[in-house]
Amino acid sequence: MNRTSWIKTAALLALSFGLLACGGADRAKKHFATIGTGGVTGVYYPTGGAIAKLVNRGEATYGVRLSVESTGGSVYNLNAVSSGQLQFGMAQADLHYQAWQGLGDWAGAPLVHLRSVMALHPEVITLVTAVDAGIETVADLRGKRINLGNPGSGNRANAEDVIRASSLDPESDLRAESLPAAEAPRLVQDGRLDGFFYTVGHPNGAVSEATSGRRPVHFVTIEPPASFFDTRPYYTRTTIPNVLYPQAANDAPTPSIGVATTLVTSDTVEELVVYAVVHAVLADFETFVQTHPALQNLTPADLLVGLTAPLHPGAERAYREYGLIP
Ligand code: GLU
């Protein structure tokens, strides 16, 4: 038996044990679930699509049919999963942390039903501005017309953090817009915006669109002092690789802030359904990471890094079968 067929056989065996352990009666009925993602030009949407494809390919075995919904982003997804409107949602690790701890938007009202499924690709707080707008630093945003993101998006909270770290007030010191990230690139090209914030994996459709128009754009460095990170353990320093966007007017990687993407669910979602999602991804991890260039550096062990809420028991079972947790 060659290595690939051995892995496939082992995965199938693990799957039958796992499904048995998840309860026979539950398996007899078909389960429908939806993943909340983000705008169609981001990375959440295609990543959600890749997960759904793997789960649905195994529909006969798992008894689970997964669909994907384009949504407003992290904040929307966390709230919708918590209220039971969605069974799964993608959310930035910073907002996942705040929602679980009862901080930020969730001050005093933590989402106690939230459970972790997996961590995914890294995202970067990305500030794209038109070169002719003369924005070289975050402090230069004063008086400029900048899209911070729609309510419900993750980038909105990040943009506000970064702007405040430069001693500007996001509400009064700039002309802030609240549009979906998918609309911003066109508005920059039309001269109706000076730039936009988007917290997103790279490469992605929105930034590619923004950098390939006639009006030259560049990435702006975001480098807050060390103290900024002391109170925000979910942020790390990283860079935006300019090589991914050959038409951006940057000749080196741009320093910025990174955060992990996570997939969350609720403790009210059946064990079998969550097991199916994690198992389907681990069983064909190569296919999964090859579906989008932003996923290509992920390893199975990375799926467990950057999560705050406790693992859902269905996820735990799948990780244990793959030896990823004891
Ligand atoms: N991080 C963004 C948000 O939470 C979404 C990015 C994406 O769709 O890839 O709103």
Side-chain angles (χ1 to χ4, degrees):
M1 200 185 279
N2 66 28
R3 189 165 169 270
T4 317
S5 41
W6 188 87
I7 292 172
K8 284 198 172 134
T9 310
L12 273 177
L13 271 175
L15 171 65
S16 25
F17 284 123
L19 288 173
L20 275 176
C22 286
D26 211 24
R27 203 159 24 111
K29 65 175 202 234
K30 176 80 73 45
H31 297 262
F32 293 91
T34 303
I35 302 191
T37 59
V40 293
T41 54
V43 178
Y44 285 11
Y45 187 72
T47 300
I51 296 172
K53 201 167 163 193
L54 292 173
V55 171
N56 295 341
R57 210 178 56 185
E59 188 178 334
T61 325
Y62 296 123
V64 176
R65 180 98 203 146
L66 197 58
S67 58
V68 181
E69 197 175 298
S70 168
T71 71
S74 291
V75 175
Y76 176 91
N77 295 339
L78 286 161
N79 291 328
V81 163
S82 167
S83 69
Q85 239 175 298
L86 291 172
Q87 291 67 48
F88 295 95
M90 302 187 55
Q92 292 170 206
D94 53 330
L95 297 161
H96 170 160
Y97 175 92
Q98 291 176 11
W100 176 254
Q101 302 280 349
L103 302 169
D105 268 18
W106 300 275
L111 302 184
V112 296
H113 293 290
L114 211 61
R115 291 294 177 271
S116 290
V117 181
M118 63 178 76
L120 291 158
H121 61 283
E123 297 184 75
V124 190
I125 304 180
T126 305
L127 173 56
V128 182
T129 66
V131 172
D132 60 42
I135 301 163
E136 301 301 329
T137 66
V138 176
D140 295 336
L141 292 178
R142 185 182 292 281
K144 302 293 183 190
R145 205 160 161 185
I146 303 294
N147 189 42
L148 307 188
N150 57 287
S153 68
N155 32 290
R156 209 183 157 79
N158 302 141
E160 290 176 356
D161 264 1
V162 164
I163 292 166
R164 285 204 188 91
S166 278
S167 305
L168 294 179
D169 182 332
E171 263 147 49
S172 53
D173 288 331
L174 41 136
R175 292 156 71 198
E177 297 289 346
S178 309
L179 305 162
E183 288 177 27
R186 185 176 43 85
L187 296 174
V188 170
Q189 285 302 326
D190 288 355
R192 286 183 283 164
L193 274 179
D194 294 314
F196 63 90
F197 277 93
Y198 196 15
T199 304
V200 67
H202 290 289
N204 62 77
V207 174
S208 299
E209 183 186 343
T211 55
S212 41
R214 274 217 219 129
R215 192 181 185 195
V217 304
H218 64 178
F219 301 114
V220 177
T221 295
I222 301 176
E223 247 174 349
S227 58
F228 176 87
F229 296 90
D230 292 346
T231 50
R232 299 172 178 91
Y234 35 75
Y235 284 154
T236 53
R237 292 194 194 272
T238 185
T239 54
I240 302 163
N242 55 310
V243 292
L244 298 176
Y245 305 101
Q247 285 166 268
N250 298 82
D251 47 23
T254 308
S256 186
I257 299 169
V259 68
T261 306
T262 68
L263 180 67
V264 295
T265 188
S266 149
D267 62 0
T268 58
V269 174
E270 296 94 324
E271 190 173 329
L272 172 78
V273 176
V274 182
Y275 172 86
V277 166
V278 178
H279 189 278
V281 168
L282 286 172
D284 203 352
F285 201 72
E286 266 320 291
T287 303
F288 177 60
V289 296
Q290 276 164 21
T291 48
H292 196 287
L295 302 173
Q296 71 184 4
N297 294 325
L298 273 187
T299 67
D302 291 337
L303 302 193
L304 286 154
V305 183
L307 305 170
T308 310
L311 275 179
H312 187 285
E316 229 173 275
R317 189 182 295 283
Y319 289 124
R320 201 167 294 124
E321 276 177 23
Y322 276 87
L324 292 166
I325 54 174

